[in-house]
């Protein structure tokens, strides 16, 4: 995840107030790890980087610049064996300076909370051995309520995790059984309460809406219960039916009804209204974070002063409060490395002499991926050099998911010769602006509250405008990480257009 930093500044929250190194620190991509990456670490040790060894820690599967093979008998970690009680919150640094800095690590893509805290610590040791990992770096772990006892969460905290994302999905046992979840509503509540005690202000809940036979009343009642339980971050996802699941077969076979689109829209708008009234900032299509200064557990229908914010006001301030720093790197088109089967990455491989941004996709089949990592040091199945137009398309599609939108500065980094105004018209001229869906002003291009809810229907025309302004349509890149939700876009090319 690239961070703009002054010369010699270690990347951390509040920079340039951090430590100063005698040379420029080069920020490198954020790291997202999937469960099979953790499994591989349980099967083989990691070669250390410090303590006079002279090697570099190996982060398996990144397809990057850490090919050193694991040596039999090497201990886990770069600076000694991991202990069950030794705190890891201040990540150890090697005795020599490292010119790269990782700004966030995200353990996701399944149920990484099934891994042992020692495995999580080993991964962070590997990251810290290959690059500078500041003590303030965001380290998130996705967790399932059924694998999040207080003792286990304390172990993850000691391993270096400082943010937790819990897949609650629902606080209704009937809905959880329909979804095929193993945990109960009581277990979900206990997991969130335990997480809030260990990670105050840094615990997120995932909730699903749009379930078969779910009414608007049932959804809002469940959300009110979640607001009484939650910490400072909530993610809302519309249910996506996955091929091969029992629920998908029941809906597609007609045994269960699919919710109508109007109901889904009403659920989304009702949730947004409730969360904003409770003091949350709707900072991305599916994500809400409590604003700085808002008290926890605001009554759902109270409107504290901190929630009175114009939906078209510019958002130029740095991230505050409980926003997910790691996920912002996706939406801001920054750089990140994906590790694990099927993981996506976007970065400039400077360590390999590259100078252009690449899309890298890891092998999808877990066994094949692990064998490739063990034999060749990475599990990259596909790498594509992204054209300037493809990069701009990603900047547009991902950036508009956020309330801050796309700033002129960020657009200019990818398109120094074609401004936002040149593509989308002067302020107030574009159709989307005239109809109140978008705003283009001195702050950049962003959706209004109305536009954010229908982003999937706005994007095809916006992408066509970009392609026409740029020239002939270019092949489209594969989608990046994330779940399909109300901001997802699929299919469609650029036709003649208006």
């Amino acid at each position: 995840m690239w961070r703009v930093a002054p010369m010699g500044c270690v990347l951390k929250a509040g920079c340039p107030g951090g430590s100063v190194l005698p040379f420029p620190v080069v920020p490198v991509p954020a790291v997202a790890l999937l469960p099979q990456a953790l499994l591989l670490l349980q099967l083989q040790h990691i070669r250390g980087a410090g303590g006079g060894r002279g090697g570099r820690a190996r982060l398996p599967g990144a397809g990057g610049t850490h090919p050193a093979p694991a040596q039999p008998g090497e201990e886990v970690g770069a600076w000694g064996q991991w202990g069950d009680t030794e705190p890891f919150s201040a990540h150890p640094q090697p005795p020599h300076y490292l010119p790269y800095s990782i700004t966030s690590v995200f353990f996701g893509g399944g149920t990484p909370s099934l891994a042992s805290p020692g495995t999580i610590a080993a991964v962070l040791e590997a990251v810290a051995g290959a690059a500078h990992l500041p003590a303030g770096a965001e380290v998130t772990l996705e967790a399932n309520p059924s694998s999040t006892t207080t003792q286990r969460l304390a172990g993850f905290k000691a391993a270096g995790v400082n943010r937790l994302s819990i897949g609650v999905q629902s606080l209704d046992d009937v809905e959880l059984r329909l979804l095929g979840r193993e945990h109960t509503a009581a277990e979900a509540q206990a997991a969130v309460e335990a997480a809030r005690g260990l990670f105050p202000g840094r615990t997120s809940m995932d909730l699903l809406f749009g379930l078969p036979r779910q009414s608007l009343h049932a959804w809002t009642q469940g959300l009110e219960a979640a607001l009484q339980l939650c910490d400072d971050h909530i993610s809302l996802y519309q249910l996506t039916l996955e091929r091969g699941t029992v629920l998908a077969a029941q809906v597609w076979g007609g045994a269960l009804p699919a919710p109508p689109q109007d109901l889904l829209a009403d659920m989304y708008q009702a949730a947004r209204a409730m969360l904003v009234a409770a003091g949350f900032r709707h900072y991305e299509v599916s994500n809400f974070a409590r604003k700085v200064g808002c008290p926890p557990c605001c009554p759902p229908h109270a409107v504290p002063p901190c929630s009175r914010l114009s939906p078209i006001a510019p958002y130029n301030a740095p991230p505050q409060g409980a926003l997910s720093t790691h996920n912002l790197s996706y939406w801001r088109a920054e750089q990140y490395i994906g590790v694990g089967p099927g993981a996506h990455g976007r970065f400039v491989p400077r360590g390999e002499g590259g100078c252009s941004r690449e899309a890298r996709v890891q092998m999808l089949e877990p066994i094949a991926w692990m064998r490739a990592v063990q034999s060749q040091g990475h599990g990259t199945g596909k790498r594509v050099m992204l054209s300037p137009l493809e990069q701009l398309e990603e900047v547009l599609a991902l950036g508009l998911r956020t309330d801050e939108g796309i700033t002129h500065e960020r657009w200019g980094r990818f398109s120094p010769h074609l401004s936002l105004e040149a593509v989308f018209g002067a302020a107030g001229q574009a159709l989307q602006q005239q109809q109140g869906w978008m705003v283009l002003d001195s702050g950049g291009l962003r959706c209004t509250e109305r536009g954010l809810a229908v982003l999937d229907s706005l994007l095809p025309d916006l992408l066509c405008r970009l392609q026409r302004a740029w020239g002939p349509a270019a092949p489209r890149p594969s989608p990046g990480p994330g779940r399909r939700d109300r901001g997802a876009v699929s299919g469609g090319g650029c036709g003649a257009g208006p």
Side-chain angles (χ1 to χ4, degrees):
M1 174 168 59
W2 286 106
R3 291 288 186 206
V4 179
M7 294 288 283
C9 177
V10 175
L11 296 186
K12 59 192 299 184
C15 205
S19 304
V20 176
L21 298 182
F23 54 85
V25 171
V26 180
V28 296
V31 179
L33 296 114
L34 302 186
Q36 288 79 7
L38 308 182
L39 175 60
L40 182 65
L41 285 169
Q42 291 174 327
L43 299 178
Q44 63 181 47
H45 291 302
I46 305 170
R47 186 176 183 182
R53 295 174 190 268
R56 298 200 67 175
R58 182 167 183 252
L59 184 59
T65 59
H66 313 293
Q71 299 298 315
E74 289 272 25
E75 73 261 25
V76 174
W79 304 280
Q81 185 73 26
W82 161 255
D84 291 336
T85 59
E86 179 184 353
F88 195 73
S89 57
H91 305 296
Q93 296 301 312
H96 57 282
Y97 290 117
L98 292 168
Y100 301 99
S101 183
I102 296 292
T103 54
S104 66
V105 179
F106 193 101
F107 295 89
T111 313
S113 56
L114 291 175
S116 70
T119 298
I120 300 299
V123 175
L124 294 176
E125 291 271 15
V127 174
H132 177 64
L133 185 60
E138 181 185 273
V139 180
T140 303
L141 178 82
E142 284 190 344
N144 189 296
S146 61
S147 58
T148 49
T149 64
T150 301
Q151 181 179 5
R152 193 170 187 82
L153 292 181
F156 290 134
K157 182 176 181 179
V161 173
N162 56 29
R163 184 177 183 273
L164 211 65
S165 178
I166 303 179
V168 171
Q169 316 307 357
S170 173
L171 291 172
D172 182 278
D173 284 330
V174 174
E175 291 180 350
L176 289 170
R177 286 194 295 269
L178 179 67
L179 292 167
R181 302 294 176 177
E182 295 182 355
H183 65 272
T184 65
E187 288 173 332
Q189 179 174 341
V192 174
E193 290 173 348
R196 288 185 63 180
L198 288 165
F199 306 93
R202 309 201 74 175
T203 297
S204 179
M205 288 174 55
D206 284 2
L207 296 174
L208 290 176
F209 68 95
L211 281 62
R213 294 179 180 159
Q214 185 182 42
S215 67
L216 177 61
H217 177 72
W219 165 239
T220 55
Q221 287 287 101
L223 191 55
E224 285 194 14
L227 281 170
Q228 297 302 317
L229 173 66
C230 74
D231 193 30
D232 289 346
H233 193 282
I234 293 182
S235 298
L236 306 179
Y237 298 106
Q238 180 180 317
L239 175 66
T240 299
L241 296 174
E242 299 289 347
R243 187 176 302 277
T245 62
V246 174
L247 184 57
Q250 290 175 324
V251 174
W252 294 337
L256 289 173
Q261 290 298 314
D262 286 347
L263 176 59
L264 295 174
D266 289 343
M267 288 179 167
Y268 183 74
Q269 293 295 354
R272 184 193 184 281
M274 291 174 63
L275 285 164
V276 169
F280 283 76
R281 170 182 165 186
H282 188 192
Y283 74 100
E284 192 269 344
V285 168
S286 298
N287 289 274
F288 299 78
R290 201 183 302 276
K291 295 170 189 170
V292 174
C294 278
C297 298
C298 269
H301 302 296
V303 184
C306 57
S307 69
R308 297 174 189 150
L309 193 61
S310 167
I312 60 173
Y315 292 96
N316 298 321
Q320 298 182 42
L323 276 67
S324 170
T325 300
H326 184 89
N327 287 338
L328 280 171
S329 68
Y330 300 150
W331 304 318
R332 289 174 173 171
E334 295 172 348
Q335 298 194 76
Y336 53 93
I337 293 173
V339 182
H344 289 247
R346 297 287 190 278
F347 58 95
V348 179
R350 299 188 185 278
E352 299 173 2
C355 58
S356 298
R357 187 177 174 98
E358 290 187 4
R360 295 201 183 186
V361 182
Q362 301 296 294
M363 296 176 182
L364 184 60
E365 208 281 317
I367 299 300
W369 179 86
M370 286 191 284
R371 287 174 176 168
V373 172
Q374 290 172 321
S375 64
Q376 63 187 27
H378 68 86
T380 302
K382 182 180 181 182
R383 54 185 295 185
V384 177
M385 185 180 297
L386 297 174
S387 70
L389 176 59
E390 288 173 327
Q391 295 180 49
L392 273 182
E393 289 176 328
E394 292 193 345
V395 170
L396 183 66
L398 295 173
L400 288 179
R401 295 178 61 90
T402 66
D403 62 353
E404 70 181 8
I406 306 162
T407 65
H408 292 283
E409 185 275 334
R410 187 178 308 130
W411 182 268
R413 279 192 274 127
F414 289 87
S415 177
H417 306 300
L418 188 66
S419 67
L420 284 168
E421 291 89 348
V423 177
F424 303 107
Q429 289 185 2
L431 176 64
Q432 290 86 352
Q433 298 178 66
Q434 295 170 359
Q435 296 186 349
W437 293 327
M438 309 200 71
V439 174
L440 177 57
D441 59 14
S442 60
L445 179 69
R446 63 192 178 280
C447 291
T448 62
E449 174 187 332
R450 290 180 55 208
L452 203 62
V454 294
L455 178 58
D456 54 350
S457 63
L458 300 178
L459 273 175
D461 179 64
L462 295 171
L463 290 168
C464 284
R465 289 176 183 270
L466 171 60
Q467 291 167 4
R468 287 198 299 270
W470 187 270
R476 301 182 66 98
S478 58
R483 292 171 251 209
R484 286 186 57 83
D485 47 42
R486 294 198 63 80
V489 182
S490 62
C494 185

Coordinates of all heavy atoms in Angstrom, one line a residue, residues 345-404:
G345 N -3.4 -9.2 -6.4 CA -2.4 -8.2 -5.9 C -2.3 -7.1 -7.0 O -2.5 -7.4 -8.2
R346 N -2.0 -5.9 -6.6 CA -1.7 -4.8 -7.6 C -0.5 -4.1 -7.0 O -0.5 -3.4 -6.0 CB -2.9 -3.9 -7.7 CG -4.2 -4.4 -8.2 CD -4.1 -4.7 -9.7 NE -5.4 -5.0 -10.2 CZ -6.0 -6.2 -10.2 NH1 -5.4 -7.2 -9.6 NH2 -7.2 -6.4 -10.7
F347 N 0.6 -4.2 -7.8 CA 1.8 -3.5 -7.3 C 2.8 -3.4 -8.4 O 2.7 -4.0 -9.5 CB 2.5 -4.1 -6.1 CG 2.9 -5.6 -6.3 CD1 4.2 -5.9 -6.7 CD2 1.9 -6.6 -6.1 CE1 4.5 -7.2 -6.8 CE2 2.3 -7.9 -6.3 CZ 3.6 -8.2 -6.7
V348 N 3.8 -2.5 -8.2 CA 4.9 -2.3 -9.2 C 6.1 -3.2 -8.6 O 6.6 -2.9 -7.6 CB 5.3 -0.8 -9.3 CG1 6.5 -0.7 -10.2 CG2 4.2 0.0 -9.7
P349 N 6.5 -4.2 -9.3 CA 7.5 -5.1 -8.8 C 8.9 -4.5 -9.0 O 9.7 -5.0 -9.8 CB 7.3 -6.4 -9.7 CG 6.8 -5.8 -11.0 CD 5.9 -4.7 -10.6
R350 N 9.2 -3.5 -8.3 CA 10.5 -2.8 -8.4 C 11.7 -3.7 -8.0 O 12.8 -3.6 -8.6 CB 10.5 -1.6 -7.5 CG 9.5 -0.5 -7.9 CD 9.6 0.8 -7.2 NE 8.5 1.7 -7.5 CZ 8.5 2.5 -8.6 NH1 9.4 2.4 -9.4 NH2 7.4 3.2 -8.8
G351 N 11.4 -4.7 -7.1 CA 12.5 -5.6 -6.7 C 12.9 -6.5 -7.9 O 14.0 -7.1 -7.8
E352 N 12.0 -6.6 -8.9 CA 12.4 -7.4 -10.0 C 12.7 -6.6 -11.2 O 12.8 -7.0 -12.4 CB 11.2 -8.3 -10.4 CG 10.8 -9.3 -9.3 CD 9.5 -10.1 -9.6 OE1 9.0 -9.9 -10.7 OE2 9.1 -10.8 -8.7
G353 N 12.9 -5.3 -11.0 CA 13.3 -4.4 -12.0 C 12.1 -3.8 -12.8 O 12.3 -3.1 -13.8
G354 N 10.9 -4.1 -12.3 CA 9.7 -3.6 -13.0 C 9.5 -2.1 -12.7 O 9.9 -1.6 -11.7
C355 N 8.8 -1.4 -13.6 CA 8.5 0.0 -13.4 C 7.0 0.2 -13.7 O 6.6 1.4 -13.7 CB 9.3 0.9 -14.3 SG 9.3 0.5 -16.0
S356 N 6.2 -0.8 -14.0 CA 4.8 -0.6 -14.3 C 3.9 -1.4 -13.4 O 4.3 -2.5 -12.9 CB 4.5 -1.0 -15.8 OG 5.2 -0.2 -16.7
R357 N 2.8 -0.9 -13.1 CA 1.8 -1.6 -12.2 C 1.3 -2.9 -12.8 O 0.9 -3.0 -14.0 CB 0.7 -0.7 -11.9 CG -0.3 -1.2 -10.8 CD -1.4 -0.1 -10.6 NE -2.4 -0.5 -9.7 CZ -2.5 -0.2 -8.4 NH1 -1.5 0.5 -7.8 NH2 -3.5 -0.6 -7.7
E358 N 1.3 -4.0 -12.0 CA 0.9 -5.3 -12.5 C -0.3 -5.8 -11.7 O -0.4 -5.5 -10.5 CB 2.0 -6.3 -12.4 CG 3.2 -6.1 -13.4 CD 4.2 -7.2 -13.3 OE1 3.9 -8.2 -12.6 OE2 5.2 -7.1 -14.0
A359 N -1.1 -6.6 -12.3 CA -2.2 -7.3 -11.6 C -1.6 -8.8 -11.5 O -1.3 -9.4 -12.6 CB -3.5 -7.3 -12.4
R360 N -1.6 -9.3 -10.3 CA -1.1 -10.7 -10.1 C -2.2 -11.5 -9.4 O -2.8 -11.0 -8.5 CB 0.2 -10.7 -9.3 CG 1.3 -10.0 -10.0 CD 2.6 -10.5 -9.4 NE 3.8 -9.9 -10.1 CZ 5.0 -10.2 -9.9 NH1 5.4 -11.1 -9.0 NH2 6.0 -9.5 -10.5
V361 N -2.5 -12.6 -9.9 CA -3.5 -13.5 -9.4 C -2.8 -14.8 -9.0 O -2.1 -15.4 -9.8 CB -4.6 -13.8 -10.4 CG1 -5.7 -14.7 -9.8 CG2 -5.2 -12.5 -10.9
Q362 N -3.0 -15.3 -7.8 CA -2.5 -16.5 -7.3 C -3.3 -17.7 -7.8 O -4.5 -17.6 -8.1 CB -2.4 -16.5 -5.8 CG -1.6 -15.4 -5.2 CD -0.2 -15.5 -5.5 OE1 0.5 -16.4 -5.1 NE2 0.3 -14.5 -6.3
M363 N -2.6 -18.8 -7.9 CA -3.3 -20.1 -8.3 C -4.5 -20.3 -7.4 O -4.4 -20.1 -6.2 CB -2.4 -21.3 -8.2 CG -1.2 -21.2 -9.2 SD -0.1 -22.6 -8.9 CE 1.2 -22.2 -10.1
L364 N -5.6 -20.8 -8.0 CA -6.8 -20.9 -7.2 C -6.9 -22.2 -6.4 O -7.4 -22.2 -5.2 CB -8.0 -20.9 -8.2 CG -9.4 -20.9 -7.5 CD1 -9.6 -19.7 -6.6 CD2 -10.5 -21.0 -8.6
E365 N -6.3 -23.3 -6.9 CA -6.4 -24.6 -6.2 C -5.4 -24.6 -5.1 O -4.2 -24.5 -5.3 CB -6.2 -25.7 -7.2 CG -6.9 -27.0 -6.9 CD -6.1 -27.8 -5.8 OE1 -4.9 -27.8 -5.9 OE2 -6.7 -28.3 -4.8
P366 N -5.8 -24.8 -3.8 CA -4.9 -24.7 -2.7 C -3.7 -25.6 -2.8 O -2.6 -25.2 -2.5 CB -5.8 -25.1 -1.5 CG -7.2 -24.7 -1.9 CD -7.2 -25.0 -3.4
I367 N -3.9 -26.9 -3.1 CA -2.8 -27.9 -3.1 C -1.8 -27.5 -4.2 O -0.6 -27.5 -3.9 CB -3.3 -29.3 -3.4 CG1 -4.2 -29.7 -2.2 CG2 -2.1 -30.3 -3.4 CD1 -3.6 -29.7 -0.9
A368 N -2.3 -27.1 -5.4 CA -1.4 -26.7 -6.4 C -0.6 -25.4 -6.0 O 0.6 -25.3 -6.3 CB -2.2 -26.4 -7.7
W369 N -1.3 -24.5 -5.3 CA -0.6 -23.3 -4.9 C 0.5 -23.6 -3.9 O 1.6 -23.1 -4.0 CB -1.7 -22.4 -4.3 CG -1.1 -21.1 -3.8 CD1 -0.9 -19.9 -4.5 CD2 -0.6 -20.8 -2.4 NE1 -0.3 -18.9 -3.7 CE2 -0.2 -19.5 -2.4 CE3 -0.6 -21.5 -1.3 CZ2 0.4 -18.9 -1.3 CZ3 0.0 -21.0 -0.1 CH2 0.4 -19.6 -0.1
M370 N 0.2 -24.5 -2.9 CA 1.2 -24.8 -1.9 C 2.4 -25.5 -2.6 O 3.6 -25.2 -2.2 CB 0.6 -25.6 -0.8 CG -0.3 -24.8 0.1 SD -0.8 -25.7 1.6 CE -2.0 -26.8 0.9
R371 N 2.2 -26.4 -3.5 CA 3.3 -27.1 -4.2 C 4.1 -26.1 -5.0 O 5.4 -26.2 -5.0 CB 2.7 -28.2 -5.1 CG 2.2 -29.4 -4.3 CD 1.5 -30.4 -5.3 NE 1.1 -31.6 -4.5 CZ 0.3 -32.5 -5.0 NH1 -0.2 -32.4 -6.3 NH2 -0.1 -33.5 -4.3
A372 N 3.5 -25.1 -5.6 CA 4.2 -24.1 -6.4 C 5.1 -23.3 -5.5 O 6.2 -23.0 -5.8 CB 3.2 -23.2 -7.2
V373 N 4.5 -22.9 -4.3 CA 5.3 -22.1 -3.4 C 6.5 -22.8 -2.9 O 7.6 -22.3 -2.8 CB 4.4 -21.6 -2.2 CG1 5.3 -21.0 -1.1 CG2 3.3 -20.7 -2.7
Q374 N 6.3 -24.1 -2.6 CA 7.4 -24.9 -2.1 C 8.5 -25.2 -3.1 O 9.7 -25.3 -2.8 CB 6.9 -26.2 -1.5 CG 6.1 -26.1 -0.3 CD 5.4 -27.4 0.2 OE1 4.9 -28.1 -0.7 NE2 5.3 -27.6 1.4
S375 N 8.1 -25.2 -4.4 CA 9.1 -25.5 -5.4 C 9.7 -24.3 -6.1 O 10.9 -24.3 -6.5 CB 8.4 -26.4 -6.5 OG 7.4 -25.6 -7.2
Q376 N 8.9 -23.2 -6.2 CA 9.5 -22.0 -6.9 C 9.4 -20.7 -6.1 O 9.8 -19.7 -6.6 CB 8.7 -21.8 -8.2 CG 7.2 -21.5 -8.1 CD 6.5 -21.5 -9.4 OE1 7.0 -22.2 -10.4 NE2 5.5 -20.8 -9.5
G377 N 8.9 -20.8 -4.9 CA 8.9 -19.6 -4.0 C 7.7 -18.8 -4.1 O 7.6 -17.8 -3.3
H378 N 6.8 -19.0 -5.0 CA 5.5 -18.3 -5.1 C 4.5 -19.1 -5.8 O 4.8 -20.1 -6.4 CB 5.8 -16.9 -5.8 CG 6.1 -17.1 -7.3 ND1 5.1 -17.2 -8.2 CD2 7.3 -17.2 -7.9 CE1 5.7 -17.3 -9.4 NE2 7.0 -17.3 -9.3
G379 N 3.2 -18.7 -5.7 CA 2.1 -19.4 -6.3 C 1.4 -18.5 -7.3 O 0.2 -18.7 -7.5
T380 N 2.1 -17.6 -7.9 CA 1.4 -16.7 -8.9 C 1.0 -17.5 -10.1 O 1.8 -18.2 -10.8 CB 2.4 -15.6 -9.4 OG1 2.8 -14.9 -8.2 CG2 1.7 -14.7 -10.4
G381 N -0.3 -17.5 -10.5 CA -0.8 -18.2 -11.7 C -0.9 -17.3 -12.9 O -0.9 -17.7 -14.0
K382 N -1.0 -16.0 -12.6 CA -1.2 -15.0 -13.7 C -0.7 -13.7 -13.3 O -0.9 -13.2 -12.2 CB -2.7 -14.9 -14.1 CG -3.0 -14.0 -15.3 CD -4.5 -14.0 -15.6 CE -4.8 -13.1 -16.8 NZ -6.3 -13.1 -17.0
R383 N 0.0 -13.0 -14.2 CA 0.5 -11.7 -14.0 C 0.3 -10.9 -15.3 O 0.6 -11.3 -16.4 CB 2.0 -11.6 -13.6 CG 2.9 -12.4 -14.5 CD 4.3 -12.4 -13.9 NE 4.9 -11.0 -13.8 CZ 6.2 -10.8 -13.4 NH1 6.9 -11.8 -13.1 NH2 6.6 -9.6 -13.4
V384 N -0.3 -9.7 -15.2 CA -0.6 -8.9 -16.3 C -0.2 -7.5 -16.0 O -0.5 -6.9 -15.0 CB -2.2 -8.9 -16.6 CG1 -2.5 -8.0 -17.8 CG2 -2.7 -10.3 -16.9
M385 N 0.6 -6.9 -17.0 CA 0.9 -5.5 -16.9 C -0.3 -4.7 -17.3 O -0.8 -4.8 -18.4 CB 2.2 -5.2 -17.8 CG 2.7 -3.8 -17.6 SD 4.1 -3.4 -18.7 CE 5.3 -4.6 -18.0
L386 N -0.7 -3.8 -16.4 CA -1.9 -3.0 -16.6 C -1.6 -1.8 -17.5 O -0.6 -1.1 -17.2 CB -2.5 -2.6 -15.3 CG -3.0 -3.7 -14.4 CD1 -3.5 -3.1 -13.0 CD2 -4.2 -4.5 -15.0
S387 N -2.4 -1.6 -18.5 CA -2.2 -0.4 -19.3 C -2.6 0.8 -18.5 O -3.4 0.7 -17.5 CB -3.0 -0.5 -20.6 OG -4.4 -0.4 -20.3
P388 N -2.2 2.0 -18.9 CA -2.6 3.2 -18.2 C -4.2 3.4 -18.2 O -4.7 3.8 -17.2 CB -2.0 4.4 -19.1 CG -0.8 3.8 -19.7 CD -1.2 2.3 -20.0
L389 N -4.9 3.0 -19.3 CA -6.3 3.0 -19.3 C -6.9 2.1 -18.3 O -7.9 2.4 -17.5 CB -6.9 2.8 -20.7 CG -8.4 2.7 -20.8 CD1 -9.0 4.0 -20.3 CD2 -8.8 2.4 -22.2
E390 N -6.4 0.9 -18.2 CA -6.9 -0.1 -17.3 C -6.7 0.3 -15.8 O -7.6 0.1 -15.0 CB -6.2 -1.5 -17.5 CG -6.6 -2.2 -18.8 CD -5.8 -3.4 -19.1 OE1 -4.6 -3.4 -18.7 OE2 -6.4 -4.4 -19.6
Q391 N -5.6 1.0 -15.6 CA -5.3 1.5 -14.2 C -6.4 2.6 -13.9 O -6.9 2.6 -12.8 CB -3.9 2.0 -14.1 CG -2.8 1.0 -14.3 CD -1.4 1.5 -14.1 OE1 -1.1 2.3 -13.2 NE2 -0.6 1.2 -15.1
L392 N -6.7 3.5 -14.9 CA -7.6 4.5 -14.6 C -9.0 3.9 -14.4 O -9.8 4.4 -13.6 CB -7.7 5.5 -15.8 CG -6.7 6.6 -15.8 CD1 -6.9 7.5 -17.0 CD2 -6.8 7.5 -14.5
E393 N -9.4 2.9 -15.1 CA -10.7 2.2 -14.9 C -10.8 1.7 -13.5 O -11.9 1.8 -12.9 CB -10.9 1.1 -16.0 CG -11.1 1.6 -17.4 CD -11.2 0.5 -18.4 OE1 -10.5 -0.6 -18.2 OE2 -11.9 0.6 -19.4
E394 N -9.7 1.1 -13.0 CA -9.8 0.7 -11.6 C -9.9 1.8 -10.6 O -10.6 1.7 -9.6 CB -8.6 -0.2 -11.3 CG -8.6 -1.5 -12.1 CD -7.5 -2.5 -11.6 OE1 -6.6 -2.1 -10.8 OE2 -7.6 -3.7 -11.9
V395 N -9.1 2.9 -10.9 CA -9.2 4.1 -10.0 C -10.6 4.6 -10.0 O -11.2 4.9 -8.9 CB -8.3 5.2 -10.6 CG1 -8.5 6.5 -9.8 CG2 -6.8 4.8 -10.4
L396 N -11.3 4.6 -11.1 CA -12.7 5.1 -11.2 C -13.7 4.2 -10.5 O -14.4 4.6 -9.6 CB -13.1 5.3 -12.7 CG -14.5 5.8 -12.9 CD1 -14.5 7.3 -12.5 CD2 -14.8 5.8 -14.4
A397 N -13.6 2.9 -10.8 CA -14.6 1.9 -10.3 C -14.4 1.7 -8.8 O -15.4 1.6 -8.1 CB -14.5 0.6 -11.0
L398 N -13.2 1.8 -8.3 CA -13.0 1.6 -6.9 C -13.1 2.8 -6.1 O -13.7 2.9 -5.0 CB -11.6 0.9 -6.6 CG -11.4 -0.5 -7.2 CD1 -10.0 -0.9 -7.1 CD2 -12.3 -1.5 -6.5
G399 N -12.6 3.9 -6.6 CA -12.6 5.2 -5.9 C -14.0 5.7 -5.6 O -14.3 6.3 -4.6
L400 N -14.9 5.5 -6.6 CA -16.3 6.0 -6.4 C -17.1 5.2 -5.4 O -18.2 5.6 -5.0 CB -17.0 6.0 -7.7 CG -16.5 7.1 -8.7 CD1 -17.3 7.0 -10.0 CD2 -16.7 8.5 -8.2
R401 N -16.5 4.1 -4.9 CA -17.2 3.4 -3.8 C -17.1 4.1 -2.5 O -17.9 3.8 -1.5 CB -16.5 2.0 -3.6 CG -16.7 1.1 -4.8 CD -16.0 -0.2 -4.6 NE -16.5 -0.9 -3.4 CZ -17.6 -1.8 -3.4 NH1 -18.1 -2.0 -4.6 NH2 -18.0 -2.3 -2.3
T402 N -16.2 5.1 -2.4 CA -16.0 5.8 -1.1 C -16.7 7.2 -1.1 O -16.9 7.7 -2.1 CB -14.5 6.0 -0.8 OG1 -14.0 6.9 -1.8 CG2 -13.7 4.7 -0.9
D403 N -16.9 7.7 0.1 CA -17.6 9.0 0.2 C -16.6 10.1 -0.2 O -17.0 11.2 -0.6 CB -18.1 9.2 1.6 CG -17.1 9.2 2.7 OD1 -15.9 8.9 2.4 OD2 -17.4 9.5 3.9
E404 N -15.3 9.8 -0.1 CA -14.3 10.9 -0.5 C -14.2 10.9 -2.0 O -13.7 11.9 -2.5 CB -13.0 10.6 0.2 CG -12.2 9.4 -0.3 CD -10.9 9.1 0.4 OE1 -10.6 9.8 1.4 OE2 -10.2 8.2 -0.1

